[in-house]
Amino acid sequence: RCGTRHASGQTVLLRRPGWAGHIVGQLRDVSISGAFITVPRRIFPLRSVVKAEVTVYERGHARLVRLQGMVVRTAEHGIGLMFDELQPARRLAAAGPGSREVLLEEFPALAPC
């Protein structure tokens, strides 16, 4: 595990490859390498691939952040997700001036180790 975990309450939209639908969860904590997401029921088995979408607000504009990871822990009320990329903020930095700073302000745990 890399990075300090920081509490969050962001709503997260979760999908699995092959699903037509989605599950809405709450981002309980996040770090540079993963997150724990509260979900209403045990629907994501260990080692399943999950795509997560979180809305980040930037100067009055909403921007969708997409991350992908693997379920490395299951609990009665949530899943532990390990991101495919250690620093998803790098991918977002190219989206426009100040994007990286806004993301790090919203999710400080995404700063490099």
Side-chain angles (χ1 to χ4, degrees), residues 7-51:
S8 177
Q10 288 284 119
T11 299
V12 181
L13 185 74
L14 302 168
R15 301 177 194 276
R16 282 183 54 199
W19 275 14
H22 63 272
I23 297 289
V24 176
Q26 290 293 115
L27 187 61
R28 192 169 84 188
D29 60 54
V30 63
S31 77
I32 189 174
S33 61
F36 188 85
I37 302 168
T38 303
V39 290
R41 60 186 179 274
R42 287 187 174 182
I43 198 157
F44 299 101
L46 280 174
R47 294 180 291 286
S48 60
V49 174
V50 176
K51 294 183 180 193

Side-chain angles (χ1 to χ4, degrees), residues 56-108:
V56 175
Y57 296 93
E58 176 179 13
R59 297 181 190 98
H61 294 68
R63 186 167 42 88
L64 190 62
V65 175
R66 291 187 174 110
L67 303 168
Q68 180 171 294
M70 180 174 68
V71 177
V72 293
R73 178 177 165 233
T74 60
E76 187 175 338
H77 300 292
I79 57 171
L81 191 64
M82 180 177 68
F83 297 139
D84 283 354
E85 298 177 24
L86 269 185
Q87 296 182 34
R90 282 186 185 166
R91 190 171 40 153
L92 298 167
S99 296
R100 178 176 164 77
E101 291 75 22
V102 169
L103 183 68
L104 291 175
E105 186 177 299
E106 185 72 25
F107 297 107

